[in-house]
Amino acid sequence: MAAPESEAPDTARSRAKDKSPWNWLLFIPIVVPLIPALFNADSPRLFGFPRFYWLQLAWILLGVGTTTLVYQMTKKRGDH
């Protein structure tokens, strides 16, 4: 079901006006995993896992941490 017409334009306008510099941090978890030099080795190993595998888990933590930071810094006061 579609949202009532009175709510949709307001939501779209408020998102379009959000030009916080904090939003640029969201590029970090997108760009960093695309750097091939980070994966071009077998060592160091962490708990016996090669670098490629434990870095995949590190990128998840990086993405969650970055997204949480940007959300906390850009949410409007009074929003719950």
Side-chain angles (χ1 to χ4, degrees), residues 24-66:
W24 287 102
L25 288 177
L26 295 173
F27 280 110
I28 293 173
I30 295 171
V31 173
V32 171
L34 297 175
I35 301 171
L38 297 175
F39 298 104
N40 196 17
D42 185 44
S43 62
R45 289 179 169 257
L46 186 65
F47 302 114
F49 291 101
R51 179 190 299 185
F52 177 81
Y53 294 106
W54 61 262
L55 271 180
Q56 298 303 309
L57 297 174
W59 302 147
I60 293 170
L61 296 175
L62 177 69
V64 169
T66 305

